[in-house]
Amino acid sequence: MGRDVPALVFTRDDRRRYRDKMQTCLDTFATMLSEARFESERPQVGLEIEINLVDAAGEPAMKNTDVLEAIADPAWDSELGRFNLEINIPPRTLTAGGPDAWEQEIRDALNHAEQRARDVGAHLAMIGILPTLRQRDVGEAALSENPRYRLLNEQVFAARGEDLRIAVDGVEKLRTYADTITPEAACTSTQFHLQVSPSEFPAYWNAAQAIAGIQVALAANSPFLFGKELWRETRIPLFEQATDTRPEEIKVQGVRPRVWFGERWITSVFDLFEENVRYFPALLPLCDDENPREKLDGGDTPELAELTLHNGTIYRWNRPVYAVSHGRPHLRVENRVLPAGPTVADTLANGAFYYGLTRALVDEERPIWSRMSFQAAEDNLHAAARHGIDAGLYWPGMGEVPVAELVLRRLLPMAHRGLELSGMDAAWREPLLGIIEQRCVTGRNGAVWQAEMYHHIDATSRVDHHEALRLMTQQYIDYMHLNAPAHTWPVD
């Protein structure tokens, strides 16, 4: 939900008008899909990275306003917490200039931002959950200044009517309550975008859902929250709980959560937007002046502002995106399951695996979603988040299998084939997918390194647990800047 919104109070009339306007948008969208007015001839990929800000000691730095002013680049934006930023890397075709060009562009942007952040006493950290973050750091004062975040916070708690309960059972147990949505800011992610045609969208979305658990297992990088070691990708249960608008009584009635995997394979992108309108009340009922039907009938492209704003307050792990660029509408799958970091090299390897594997699955004669239940895909996601690269996941024809074995035997060759079909030759593919291969061979990723390094410091140094986490975080940031993949990081 990147749109700026004013601070205001919503009335019942606002909600009624918004409901009517969303239905008009949905009907207009259906017409557009039937008339095939979408940009898809030169499909592009995109990347967003959410980043933590820390001080020189590795503690959270509540300075995103100062850092944004210092960076002075529209590609950067605020996020929910004052210790967060987000960068939007410009879209491109997958093979434009080769992967080295994309990596250099990302590294240059991050290095420039790091230099500017230092001038105001902050540093950048790409990590799923900042290990030094304490619960006292995520109170109301940690909300970013933009009014949209405070308005969203008010609406979530107005819907809930009570504090948020956060409960995660992992290596240790966490039980706590929160009176703001700011714990969500602890979750920083990498988001891969893939532009597709309306006819291709359901296949790519289904494929992305089918491999979500595998992605998380390979790339887990969030083992700590509020000083406790929990799941390998604690970001998944934290995000599900920190934006939940349902009190317990509503949950047991089967009302759907706003952080949602979904409940079925789809046959059209329309299915997802229709579910949004059917199942979820508006959090931010802000009406735009545009009449989408009149604009479409006049030969122009409507923004569908109400439909897209509502979509931005429903946090699917693979989200449909409708957008207009240069007067032409397009559709994207926004893949949101992965944590930030550890390095740019790891990030691009994750992207190559995702783009290659989804392309290969879409091209299969018998789709994976015809051989795998939707529930199995969701179960895979949570098993992967809990156990990381040590998870056993279900795959058709193999049953439950260690994720490393599944990837090495079955999925890496498919990812290579998918990238080849996308025009990426072996010289480009092998270094990227080689990182994924070595993670599987070594059984090591960012979450494994964090846990091992923390326990090493805790066992060998006379420091308390928080200090061990702080020292680990500082070492993490040093290795992050070296850009060597996390499976190569030593523990000493």
Side-chain angles (χ1 to χ4, degrees):
M1 191 200 73
R3 188 179 310 171
D4 289 345
V5 299
L8 45 77
V9 175
F10 297 116
T11 67
R12 285 178 291 179
D13 281 345
D14 291 330
R15 296 189 180 278
R16 177 186 56 77
R17 284 194 299 270
Y18 193 80
R19 184 185 297 276
D20 292 343
K21 193 73 179 291
M22 274 204 299
Q23 188 60 54
T24 300
C25 286
L26 189 65
D27 294 342
T28 304
F29 183 54
T31 300
M32 294 176 70
L33 290 173
S34 68
E35 295 178 357
R37 302 186 180 194
F38 287 80
E39 176 68 62
S40 59
E41 294 177 2
R42 297 173 53 214
Q44 296 185 314
V45 298
L47 173 64
E48 300 174 59
I49 306 173
E50 296 170 350
I51 291 171
N52 285 285
L53 295 174
V54 298
D55 61 20
E59 303 282 2
M62 306 293 174
K63 294 189 173 185
N64 65 357
T65 300
D66 295 337
V67 173
L68 281 173
E69 290 177 357
I71 296 173
D73 185 335
W76 290 84
D77 201 356
S78 63
E79 266 294 325
L80 178 65
R82 291 179 184 267
F83 54 94
N84 300 143
L85 290 179
E86 180 180 83
I87 182 171
N88 291 274
I89 305 299
R92 59 188 288 128
T93 57
L94 185 60
T95 58
D100 290 345
W102 206 17
E103 179 173 353
Q104 193 60 52
E105 179 183 1
I106 298 167
R107 293 189 68 190
D108 287 347
L110 294 175
N111 288 338
H112 170 75
E114 169 67 19
Q115 291 170 2
R116 294 298 180 90
R118 287 176 184 173
D119 294 339
V120 295
H123 302 272
L124 274 58
M126 292 197 305
I127 192 166
I129 294 176
L130 185 63
T132 54
L133 194 71
R134 305 186 223 209
Q135 190 164 358
R136 70 190 190 200
D137 297 319
V138 293
E140 187 174 357
L143 279 172
S144 286
E145 292 181 5
N146 193 306
R148 72 177 185 251
Y149 299 119
R150 296 194 179 276
L151 187 57
L152 183 64
N153 181 68
E154 292 168 4
Q155 295 304 306
V156 167
F157 278 90
R160 279 188 63 83
E162 62 187 40
D163 287 351
L164 289 162
R165 182 172 187 262
I166 298 173
V168 185
D169 291 346
V171 177
E172 299 177 87
K173 290 185 178 182
L174 175 67
R175 296 285 187 278
T176 190
Y177 287 86
D179 59 4
T180 74
I181 62 170
T182 322
E184 179 199 332
C187 307
T188 53
S189 65
T190 298
Q191 297 156 25
F192 291 111
H193 290 252
L194 177 62
Q195 181 184 316
V196 295
S197 68
S199 62
E200 293 175 317
F201 188 96
Y204 274 98
W205 187 85
N206 288 343
Q209 291 285 95
I211 67 168
I214 296 152
Q215 288 181 272
V216 168
L218 292 173
N221 196 32
S222 312
F224 296 99
L225 173 64
F226 300 155
K228 293 184 180 291
E229 184 177 357
L230 300 168
W231 291 15
R232 284 307 196 226
E233 189 50 40
T234 306
R235 201 182 107 264
I236 299 294
L238 175 60
F239 195 65
E240 290 175 340
Q241 296 176 38
T243 53
D244 199 340
T245 57
R246 306 166 304 163
E248 291 299 321
E249 296 83 358
I250 299 299
K251 289 182 187 179
V252 299
Q253 293 177 37
V255 173
R256 295 159 178 86
R258 294 190 91 95
V259 177
W260 200 31
F261 188 77
E263 59 191 17
R264 61 185 175 122
W265 307 117
I266 65 168
T267 58
S268 169
V269 63
F270 185 81
D271 296 347
L272 301 178
F273 285 100
E274 185 183 37
E275 285 178 347
N276 289 355
V277 174
R278 181 186 300 170
Y279 297 145
F280 299 99
L283 284 181
L284 302 172
L286 294 160
C287 284
D288 191 83
D289 292 334
E290 175 188 87
N291 184 315
R293 171 53 64 183
E294 288 182 1
K295 193 160 187 177
L296 183 64
D297 291 345
D300 293 325
T301 303
E303 297 287 341
L304 306 182
E306 292 78 15
L307 195 70
T308 59
L309 176 60
H310 187 53
N311 185 52
T313 65
I314 298 159
Y315 305 96
R316 296 177 185 270
W317 292 112
N318 284 291
R319 176 188 277 165
V321 176
Y322 166 90
V324 180
S325 179
H326 306 294
R328 293 286 301 275
H330 67 262
L331 296 172
R332 305 194 304 270
V333 178
E334 182 187 14
N335 179 247
R336 301 162 48 83
V337 297
L338 292 183
T343 65
V344 174
D346 285 300
T347 300
L348 290 182
N350 294 337
F353 182 75
Y354 168 69
Y355 291 126
L357 185 54
T358 52
R359 173 62 189 271
L361 289 172
V362 165
D363 280 9
E364 282 194 311
E365 185 173 344
R366 186 180 175 195
I368 186 70
W369 49 95
S370 70
R371 298 179 282 129
M372 179 181 188
S373 73
F374 196 85
Q375 187 62 53
E378 183 173 9
D379 291 345
N380 276 353
L381 174 64
H382 288 96
R386 180 183 288 273
H387 301 293
I389 204 165
D390 294 324
L393 304 181
Y394 172 80
W395 195 255
M398 299 181 75
E400 184 170 316
V401 61
V403 68
E405 179 183 344
L406 170 62
V407 171
L408 291 172
R409 286 179 50 194
R410 182 73 61 88
L411 303 186
L412 263 180
M414 293 179 67
H416 272 284
R417 185 168 69 253
L419 291 178
E420 185 176 15
L421 290 169
S422 300
M424 188 178 291
D425 65 29
W428 293 359
R429 299 192 312 264
E430 289 174 0
L432 292 168
L433 294 181
I435 292 173
I436 303 297
E437 179 182 25
Q438 287 305 305
R439 279 190 214 156
C440 294
V441 170
T442 61
R444 302 183 61 75
N445 57 18
V448 172
W449 182 88
Q450 285 188 57
E452 289 186 358
M453 190 67 185
Y454 162 74
H455 288 294
H456 172 74
I457 295 171
D458 193 48
T460 59
S461 305
R462 291 188 170 184
V463 297
D464 62 25
H465 292 320
H466 182 81
E467 179 65 7
L469 288 169
R470 190 190 69 78
L471 292 171
M472 180 270 285
T473 301
Q474 287 187 309
Q475 185 64 71
Y476 177 103
I477 293 170
D478 288 344
Y479 287 149
M480 178 192 77
H481 285 299
L482 294 176
N483 201 38
H487 71 267
T488 69
W489 294 4
V491 175
D492 53 29

PDB file of all heavy atoms in Angstrom, residues 410-436:
ATOM      1  N   ARG A 410      15.392 -32.461  -8.783  1.00  0.00           N
ATOM      2  CA  ARG A 410      14.260 -32.198  -9.658  1.00  0.00           C
ATOM      3  C   ARG A 410      14.167 -30.736 -10.109  1.00  0.00           C
ATOM      4  O   ARG A 410      13.968 -30.460 -11.294  1.00  0.00           O
ATOM      5  CB  ARG A 410      12.972 -32.592  -8.931  1.00  0.00           C
ATOM      6  CG  ARG A 410      11.695 -32.428  -9.737  1.00  0.00           C
ATOM      7  CD  ARG A 410      11.548 -33.470 -10.827  1.00  0.00           C
ATOM      8  NE  ARG A 410      11.505 -34.819 -10.288  1.00  0.00           N
ATOM      9  CZ  ARG A 410      10.395 -35.442  -9.884  1.00  0.00           C
ATOM     10  NH1 ARG A 410       9.226 -34.815  -9.942  1.00  0.00           N
ATOM     11  NH2 ARG A 410      10.439 -36.691  -9.444  1.00  0.00           N
ATOM     12  N   LEU A 411      14.300 -29.786  -9.161  1.00  0.00           N
ATOM     13  CA  LEU A 411      13.891 -28.421  -9.468  1.00  0.00           C
ATOM     14  C   LEU A 411      14.990 -27.555 -10.073  1.00  0.00           C
ATOM     15  O   LEU A 411      14.690 -26.669 -10.887  1.00  0.00           O
ATOM     16  CB  LEU A 411      13.325 -27.753  -8.209  1.00  0.00           C
ATOM     17  CG  LEU A 411      12.141 -28.484  -7.570  1.00  0.00           C
ATOM     18  CD1 LEU A 411      11.570 -27.676  -6.427  1.00  0.00           C
ATOM     19  CD2 LEU A 411      11.052 -28.780  -8.602  1.00  0.00           C
ATOM     20  N   LEU A 412      16.244 -27.788  -9.707  1.00  0.00           N
ATOM     21  CA  LEU A 412      17.313 -26.986 -10.320  1.00  0.00           C
ATOM     22  C   LEU A 412      17.406 -27.211 -11.828  1.00  0.00           C
ATOM     23  O   LEU A 412      17.531 -26.238 -12.592  1.00  0.00           O
ATOM     24  CB  LEU A 412      18.661 -27.271  -9.654  1.00  0.00           C
ATOM     25  CG  LEU A 412      19.106 -26.292  -8.570  1.00  0.00           C
ATOM     26  CD1 LEU A 412      20.451 -26.706  -7.999  1.00  0.00           C
ATOM     27  CD2 LEU A 412      19.180 -24.862  -9.099  1.00  0.00           C
ATOM     28  N   PRO A 413      17.353 -28.455 -12.305  1.00  0.00           N
ATOM     29  CA  PRO A 413      17.340 -28.627 -13.768  1.00  0.00           C
ATOM     30  C   PRO A 413      16.156 -27.919 -14.424  1.00  0.00           C
ATOM     31  O   PRO A 413      16.292 -27.372 -15.519  1.00  0.00           O
ATOM     32  CB  PRO A 413      17.253 -30.153 -13.939  1.00  0.00           C
ATOM     33  CG  PRO A 413      17.846 -30.716 -12.685  1.00  0.00           C
ATOM     34  CD  PRO A 413      17.434 -29.763 -11.600  1.00  0.00           C
ATOM     35  N   MET A 414      15.013 -27.910 -13.757  1.00  0.00           N
ATOM     36  CA  MET A 414      13.855 -27.209 -14.304  1.00  0.00           C
ATOM     37  C   MET A 414      14.102 -25.706 -14.345  1.00  0.00           C
ATOM     38  O   MET A 414      13.734 -25.025 -15.320  1.00  0.00           O
ATOM     39  CB  MET A 414      12.610 -27.524 -13.483  1.00  0.00           C
ATOM     40  CG  MET A 414      12.152 -28.968 -13.574  1.00  0.00           C
ATOM     41  SD  MET A 414      10.692 -29.282 -12.540  1.00  0.00           S
ATOM     42  CE  MET A 414       9.461 -28.294 -13.394  1.00  0.00           C
ATOM     43  N   ALA A 415      14.703 -25.165 -13.277  1.00  0.00           N
ATOM     44  CA  ALA A 415      14.995 -23.728 -13.256  1.00  0.00           C
ATOM     45  C   ALA A 415      15.956 -23.351 -14.374  1.00  0.00           C
ATOM     46  O   ALA A 415      15.804 -22.309 -15.023  1.00  0.00           O
ATOM     47  CB  ALA A 415      15.558 -23.325 -11.901  1.00  0.00           C
ATOM     48  N   HIS A 416      16.977 -24.199 -14.612  1.00  0.00           N
ATOM     49  CA  HIS A 416      17.892 -23.956 -15.736  1.00  0.00           C
ATOM     50  C   HIS A 416      17.114 -23.923 -17.058  1.00  0.00           C
ATOM     51  O   HIS A 416      17.334 -23.034 -17.896  1.00  0.00           O
ATOM     52  CB  HIS A 416      18.963 -25.046 -15.792  1.00  0.00           C
ATOM     53  CG  HIS A 416      20.166 -24.766 -14.960  1.00  0.00           C
ATOM     54  ND1 HIS A 416      21.133 -23.859 -15.338  1.00  0.00           N
ATOM     55  CD2 HIS A 416      20.572 -25.285 -13.767  1.00  0.00           C
ATOM     56  CE1 HIS A 416      22.093 -23.827 -14.412  1.00  0.00           C
ATOM     57  NE2 HIS A 416      21.769 -24.683 -13.450  1.00  0.00           N
ATOM     58  N   ARG A 417      16.222 -24.890 -17.226  1.00  0.00           N
ATOM     59  CA  ARG A 417      15.467 -24.960 -18.472  1.00  0.00           C
ATOM     60  C   ARG A 417      14.562 -23.743 -18.633  1.00  0.00           C
ATOM     61  O   ARG A 417      14.441 -23.179 -19.735  1.00  0.00           O
ATOM     62  CB  ARG A 417      14.643 -26.244 -18.520  1.00  0.00           C
ATOM     63  CG  ARG A 417      13.918 -26.443 -19.860  1.00  0.00           C
ATOM     64  CD  ARG A 417      13.359 -27.845 -20.002  1.00  0.00           C
ATOM     65  NE  ARG A 417      12.255 -28.130 -19.098  1.00  0.00           N
ATOM     66  CZ  ARG A 417      12.320 -28.901 -18.034  1.00  0.00           C
ATOM     67  NH1 ARG A 417      13.472 -29.499 -17.710  1.00  0.00           N
ATOM     68  NH2 ARG A 417      11.259 -29.119 -17.268  1.00  0.00           N
ATOM     69  N   GLY A 418      13.943 -23.309 -17.549  1.00  0.00           N
ATOM     70  CA  GLY A 418      13.076 -22.145 -17.620  1.00  0.00           C
ATOM     71  C   GLY A 418      13.828 -20.876 -17.984  1.00  0.00           C
ATOM     72  O   GLY A 418      13.353 -20.066 -18.784  1.00  0.00           O
ATOM     73  N   LEU A 419      15.014 -20.697 -17.416  1.00  0.00           N
ATOM     74  CA  LEU A 419      15.820 -19.524 -17.764  1.00  0.00           C
ATOM     75  C   LEU A 419      16.307 -19.595 -19.201  1.00  0.00           C
ATOM     76  O   LEU A 419      16.371 -18.576 -19.903  1.00  0.00           O
ATOM     77  CB  LEU A 419      17.004 -19.394 -16.805  1.00  0.00           C
ATOM     78  CG  LEU A 419      16.663 -19.016 -15.364  1.00  0.00           C
ATOM     79  CD1 LEU A 419      17.924 -18.975 -14.517  1.00  0.00           C
ATOM     80  CD2 LEU A 419      15.937 -17.668 -15.299  1.00  0.00           C
ATOM     81  N   GLU A 420      16.631 -20.804 -19.650  1.00  0.00           N
ATOM     82  CA  GLU A 420      17.040 -20.965 -21.044  1.00  0.00           C
ATOM     83  C   GLU A 420      15.891 -20.595 -21.982  1.00  0.00           C
ATOM     84  O   GLU A 420      16.107 -19.904 -22.992  1.00  0.00           O
ATOM     85  CB  GLU A 420      17.485 -22.406 -21.298  1.00  0.00           C
ATOM     86  CG  GLU A 420      18.044 -22.632 -22.693  1.00  0.00           C
ATOM     87  CD  GLU A 420      18.555 -24.047 -22.881  1.00  0.00           C
ATOM     88  OE1 GLU A 420      18.217 -24.916 -22.053  1.00  0.00           O
ATOM     89  OE2 GLU A 420      19.288 -24.267 -23.862  1.00  0.00           O
ATOM     90  N   LEU A 421      14.681 -21.020 -21.646  1.00  0.00           N
ATOM     91  CA  LEU A 421      13.518 -20.651 -22.451  1.00  0.00           C
ATOM     92  C   LEU A 421      13.295 -19.140 -22.444  1.00  0.00           C
ATOM     93  O   LEU A 421      12.734 -18.586 -23.401  1.00  0.00           O
ATOM     94  CB  LEU A 421      12.268 -21.354 -21.916  1.00  0.00           C
ATOM     95  CG  LEU A 421      12.193 -22.861 -22.129  1.00  0.00           C
ATOM     96  CD1 LEU A 421      11.036 -23.455 -21.325  1.00  0.00           C
ATOM     97  CD2 LEU A 421      12.019 -23.186 -23.615  1.00  0.00           C
ATOM     98  N   SER A 422      13.733 -18.481 -21.377  1.00  0.00           N
ATOM     99  CA  SER A 422      13.588 -17.029 -21.275  1.00  0.00           C
ATOM    100  C   SER A 422      14.714 -16.276 -21.973  1.00  0.00           C
ATOM    101  O   SER A 422      14.731 -15.039 -21.944  1.00  0.00           O
ATOM    102  CB  SER A 422      13.537 -16.617 -19.801  1.00  0.00           C
ATOM    103  OG  SER A 422      12.444 -17.225 -19.146  1.00  0.00           O
ATOM    104  N   GLY A 423      15.657 -17.019 -22.548  1.00  0.00           N
ATOM    105  CA  GLY A 423      16.731 -16.389 -23.294  1.00  0.00           C
ATOM    106  C   GLY A 423      18.023 -16.188 -22.540  1.00  0.00           C
ATOM    107  O   GLY A 423      18.910 -15.471 -23.010  1.00  0.00           O
ATOM    108  N   MET A 424      18.175 -16.824 -21.383  1.00  0.00           N
ATOM    109  CA  MET A 424      19.389 -16.670 -20.589  1.00  0.00           C
ATOM    110  C   MET A 424      20.313 -17.855 -20.848  1.00  0.00           C
ATOM    111  O   MET A 424      19.957 -19.000 -20.572  1.00  0.00           O
ATOM    112  CB  MET A 424      19.047 -16.580 -19.090  1.00  0.00           C
ATOM    113  CG  MET A 424      20.246 -16.229 -18.225  1.00  0.00           C
ATOM    114  SD  MET A 424      19.823 -16.055 -16.451  1.00  0.00           S
ATOM    115  CE  MET A 424      18.847 -14.556 -16.480  1.00  0.00           C
ATOM    116  N   ASP A 425      21.502 -17.586 -21.358  1.00  0.00           N
ATOM    117  CA  ASP A 425      22.398 -18.688 -21.713  1.00  0.00           C
ATOM    118  C   ASP A 425      23.113 -19.232 -20.477  1.00  0.00           C
ATOM    119  O   ASP A 425      23.029 -18.673 -19.375  1.00  0.00           O
ATOM    120  CB  ASP A 425      23.386 -18.282 -22.804  1.00  0.00           C
ATOM    121  CG  ASP A 425      24.368 -17.201 -22.365  1.00  0.00           C
ATOM    122  OD1 ASP A 425      24.689 -17.121 -21.168  1.00  0.00           O
ATOM    123  OD2 ASP A 425      24.829 -16.438 -23.235  1.00  0.00           O
ATOM    124  N   ALA A 426      23.837 -20.339 -20.661  1.00  0.00           N
ATOM    125  CA  ALA A 426      24.439 -21.060 -19.535  1.00  0.00           C
ATOM    126  C   ALA A 426      25.450 -20.207 -18.781  1.00  0.00           C
ATOM    127  O   ALA A 426      25.581 -20.318 -17.558  1.00  0.00           O
ATOM    128  CB  ALA A 426      25.089 -22.345 -20.028  1.00  0.00           C
ATOM    129  N   ALA A 427      26.176 -19.353 -19.491  1.00  0.00           N
ATOM    130  CA  ALA A 427      27.183 -18.518 -18.830  1.00  0.00           C
ATOM    131  C   ALA A 427      26.552 -17.564 -17.827  1.00  0.00           C
ATOM    132  O   ALA A 427      27.199 -17.183 -16.844  1.00  0.00           O
ATOM    133  CB  ALA A 427      27.970 -17.732 -19.884  1.00  0.00           C
ATOM    134  N   TRP A 428      25.298 -17.175 -18.065  1.00  0.00           N
ATOM    135  CA  TRP A 428      24.592 -16.322 -17.120  1.00  0.00           C
ATOM    136  C   TRP A 428      23.899 -17.140 -16.038  1.00  0.00           C
ATOM    137  O   TRP A 428      23.855 -16.746 -14.875  1.00  0.00           O
ATOM    138  CB  TRP A 428      23.525 -15.499 -17.856  1.00  0.00           C
ATOM    139  CG  TRP A 428      24.060 -14.484 -18.804  1.00  0.00           C
ATOM    140  CD1 TRP A 428      25.377 -14.207 -19.067  1.00  0.00           C
ATOM    141  CD2 TRP A 428      23.304 -13.606 -19.640  1.00  0.00           C
ATOM    142  NE1 TRP A 428      25.479 -13.223 -20.019  1.00  0.00           N
ATOM    143  CE2 TRP A 428      24.224 -12.831 -20.387  1.00  0.00           C
ATOM    144  CE3 TRP A 428      21.940 -13.405 -19.851  1.00  0.00           C
ATOM    145  CZ2 TRP A 428      23.820 -11.859 -21.308  1.00  0.00           C
ATOM    146  CZ3 TRP A 428      21.531 -12.448 -20.756  1.00  0.00           C
ATOM    147  CH2 TRP A 428      22.459 -11.678 -21.483  1.00  0.00           C
ATOM    148  N   ARG A 429      23.335 -18.287 -16.422  1.00  0.00           N
ATOM    149  CA  ARG A 429      22.535 -19.085 -15.478  1.00  0.00           C
ATOM    150  C   ARG A 429      23.381 -19.735 -14.393  1.00  0.00           C
ATOM    151  O   ARG A 429      23.002 -19.767 -13.229  1.00  0.00           O
ATOM    152  CB  ARG A 429      21.786 -20.206 -16.222  1.00  0.00           C
ATOM    153  CG  ARG A 429      20.815 -19.758 -17.267  1.00  0.00           C
ATOM    154  CD  ARG A 429      19.932 -20.910 -17.738  1.00  0.00           C
ATOM    155  NE  ARG A 429      20.647 -22.135 -18.060  1.00  0.00           N
ATOM    156  CZ  ARG A 429      21.035 -22.491 -19.272  1.00  0.00           C
ATOM    157  NH1 ARG A 429      20.810 -21.670 -20.307  1.00  0.00           N
ATOM    158  NH2 ARG A 429      21.624 -23.641 -19.497  1.00  0.00           N
ATOM    159  N   GLU A 430      24.498 -20.313 -14.804  1.00  0.00           N
ATOM    160  CA  GLU A 430      25.224 -21.189 -13.880  1.00  0.00           C
ATOM    161  C   GLU A 430      25.739 -20.490 -12.628  1.00  0.00           C
ATOM    162  O   GLU A 430      25.642 -21.047 -11.525  1.00  0.00           O
ATOM    163  CB  GLU A 430      26.342 -21.901 -14.642  1.00  0.00           C
ATOM    164  CG  GLU A 430      25.771 -22.953 -15.604  1.00  0.00           C
ATOM    165  CD  GLU A 430      26.826 -23.587 -16.484  1.00  0.00           C
ATOM    166  OE1 GLU A 430      28.020 -23.211 -16.348  1.00  0.00           O
ATOM    167  OE2 GLU A 430      26.466 -24.455 -17.308  1.00  0.00           O
ATOM    168  N   PRO A 431      26.302 -19.273 -12.708  1.00  0.00           N
ATOM    169  CA  PRO A 431      26.723 -18.631 -11.450  1.00  0.00           C
ATOM    170  C   PRO A 431      25.557 -18.349 -10.513  1.00  0.00           C
ATOM    171  O   PRO A 431      25.707 -18.474  -9.289  1.00  0.00           O
ATOM    172  CB  PRO A 431      27.377 -17.333 -11.939  1.00  0.00           C
ATOM    173  CG  PRO A 431      27.756 -17.583 -13.354  1.00  0.00           C
ATOM    174  CD  PRO A 431      26.681 -18.488 -13.891  1.00  0.00           C
ATOM    175  N   LEU A 432      24.415 -17.979 -11.064  1.00  0.00           N
ATOM    176  CA  LEU A 432      23.264 -17.659 -10.220  1.00  0.00           C
ATOM    177  C   LEU A 432      22.672 -18.907  -9.581  1.00  0.00           C
ATOM    178  O   LEU A 432      22.524 -18.989  -8.349  1.00  0.00           O
ATOM    179  CB  LEU A 432      22.200 -16.948 -11.067  1.00  0.00           C
ATOM    180  CG  LEU A 432      22.565 -15.550 -11.563  1.00  0.00           C
ATOM    181  CD1 LEU A 432      21.564 -15.082 -12.616  1.00  0.00           C
ATOM    182  CD2 LEU A 432      22.622 -14.564 -10.414  1.00  0.00           C
ATOM    183  N   LEU A 433      22.356 -19.888 -10.391  1.00  0.00           N
ATOM    184  CA  LEU A 433      21.770 -21.116  -9.842  1.00  0.00           C
ATOM    185  C   LEU A 433      22.803 -21.947  -9.100  1.00  0.00           C
ATOM    186  O   LEU A 433      22.440 -22.788  -8.267  1.00  0.00           O
ATOM    187  CB  LEU A 433      21.106 -21.921 -10.956  1.00  0.00           C
ATOM    188  CG  LEU A 433      19.880 -21.247 -11.598  1.00  0.00           C
ATOM    189  CD1 LEU A 433      19.273 -22.148 -12.672  1.00  0.00           C
ATOM    190  CD2 LEU A 433      18.828 -20.886 -10.552  1.00  0.00           C
ATOM    191  N   GLY A 434      24.083 -21.697  -9.363  1.00  0.00           N
ATOM    192  CA  GLY A 434      25.130 -22.369  -8.597  1.00  0.00           C
ATOM    193  C   GLY A 434      25.087 -22.007  -7.125  1.00  0.00           C
ATOM    194  O   GLY A 434      25.430 -22.823  -6.257  1.00  0.00           O
ATOM    195  N   ILE A 435      24.641 -20.787  -6.814  1.00  0.00           N
ATOM    196  CA  ILE A 435      24.493 -20.389  -5.407  1.00  0.00           C
ATOM    197  C   ILE A 435      23.397 -21.219  -4.746  1.00  0.00           C
ATOM    198  O   ILE A 435      23.554 -21.702  -3.606  1.00  0.00           O
ATOM    199  CB  ILE A 435      24.193 -18.879  -5.315  1.00  0.00           C
ATOM    200  CG1 ILE A 435      25.413 -18.073  -5.766  1.00  0.00           C
ATOM    201  CG2 ILE A 435      23.780 -18.491  -3.887  1.00  0.00           C
ATOM    202  CD1 ILE A 435      25.163 -16.573  -5.871  1.00  0.00           C
ATOM    203  N   ILE A 436      22.289 -21.413  -5.451  1.00  0.00           N
ATOM    204  CA  ILE A 436      21.209 -22.253  -4.914  1.00  0.00           C
ATOM    205  C   ILE A 436      21.711 -23.687  -4.722  1.00  0.00           C
ATOM    206  O   ILE A 436      21.435 -24.328  -3.691  1.00  0.00           O
ATOM    207  CB  ILE A 436      19.995 -22.234  -5.860  1.00  0.00           C
ATOM    208  CG1 ILE A 436      19.504 -20.798  -6.091  1.00  0.00           C
ATOM    209  CG2 ILE A 436      18.896 -23.125  -5.315  1.00  0.00           C
ATOM    210  CD1 ILE A 436      18.995 -20.099  -4.864  1.00  0.00           C
TER     211      ILE A 436
END
